[in-house]
Amino acid sequence: MDAATKTAAPVLILLGPPGAGKGTQARMLEEKFGLVQLSTGDLLRAAVAAGTDAGKAAKAVMEAGELVSDEIVIAILRDRLADADCARGVILDGFPRTTVQAEALDALLAESGQQINAAVSLEVDDAAMVTRISGRYTCGACGEGYHDEFKQPAKEGVCDKCGGTDMKRRADDNAETVGSRLVAYHGQTAPLIAYYKGKGSLKTVDAMLGIDEIAGNLNAIVEEAIA
């Protein structure tokens, strides 16, 4: 890594299927290292609300019921990376999703002497993930989370926290839907894994460990990447 790249703001990518804990871990990295988490959905909404040129273009496309193009997403990301709070580095969550997007991202970062410091893949066991996600439910009154296997209320059907009895499950938190999402994720992400492995920036973390263990392994990767 040359001196110019080393002093540029670091850019990290978190890869992982729904339920792998990307959001939780990104927030912990934000707090520990002062990095800024950037998710595609949040970026689009903020750009539309701010009325930037790229935001206006995105709004027109979305109102037409079409997918926002890679060019528009890159333009929005270019604007966001120029903001002062990104000077200490960013964590990209949900982008890139394809190798075409990854190449466009590399070109964008090169404009400011940056590069991908680490692309971290949160590795999961598919069968265990189906069990983890499809068993989740929450108290409709206070939002306390429970699980069929790992965390049941002391009295069946009654929330330990508030005594509520209206337990809710997300419609898409069922084994069939979760399994389909995992298959789609692996199919979509496999080329990205190969792309970043070829670049020498791919790191892997066992996402079936406890939250603190995962965080410790991620912290070590980030510390090395931004050193």
Side-chain angles (χ1 to χ4, degrees):
M1 187 183 295
D2 61 37
T5 303
K6 198 172 181 67
T7 57
V11 180
L12 308 167
I13 296 172
L14 279 187
L15 302 169
K22 295 191 301 297
T24 297
Q25 294 298 332
R27 285 190 294 274
M28 294 170 75
L29 290 173
E30 279 187 305
E31 291 179 10
K32 183 172 180 63
F33 295 99
L35 304 172
V36 176
Q37 179 190 12
L38 301 179
S39 72
T40 310
D42 291 343
L43 286 172
L44 286 170
R45 285 187 287 274
V48 169
T52 64
D53 289 344
K56 290 175 182 175
K59 182 179 181 181
V61 171
M62 290 189 288
E63 287 180 345
E66 299 174 3
L67 291 175
V68 177
S69 69
D70 291 349
E71 289 78 13
I72 293 175
V73 174
I74 285 290
I76 289 173
L77 185 56
R78 177 183 285 108
D79 290 343
R80 184 66 181 89
L81 289 173
D83 291 342
D85 64 336
C86 292
R88 293 185 63 179
V90 299
I91 308 164
L92 296 177
D93 175 9
F95 188 87
R97 293 182 184 274
T98 67
T99 51
V100 171
Q101 291 177 348
E103 290 168 351
L105 176 60
D106 284 344
L108 167 61
L109 295 175
E111 294 173 8
S112 55
Q114 294 171 279
Q115 65 177 28
I116 302 301
N117 297 72
V120 185
S121 176
L122 300 180
E123 302 285 298
V124 303
D125 176 276
D126 283 9
M129 283 295 291
V130 170
T131 299
R132 177 191 286 184
I133 298 174
S134 61
R136 300 187 302 195
Y137 61 98
T138 59
C139 171
C142 72
E144 181 71 6
Y146 295 98
H147 194 280
D148 292 331
E149 290 188 27
F150 310 127
K151 185 188 174 185
Q152 296 183 6
K155 183 177 180 181
E156 185 177 353
V158 180
C159 178
D160 294 337
K161 188 173 182 180
C162 75
T165 56
D166 180 23
M167 298 296 180
K168 296 184 178 296
R169 294 178 189 269
R170 282 178 46 171
D172 57 353
D173 277 357
N174 61 75
E176 184 177 352
T177 301
V178 174
S180 297
R181 292 209 310 257
L182 286 167
V183 169
Y185 170 78
H186 291 308
Q188 181 184 62
T189 309
L192 270 185
I193 299 291
Y195 180 83
Y196 287 116
K197 187 173 183 179
K199 293 276 187 177
S201 53
L202 180 70
K203 306 289 183 182
T204 59
V205 169
D206 182 354
M208 303 309 295
L209 300 173
I211 290 176
D212 291 339
E213 290 179 277
I214 297 171
N217 292 335
L218 273 172
N219 288 345
I221 289 172
V222 173
E223 285 170 355
E224 180 182 356
I226 67 178

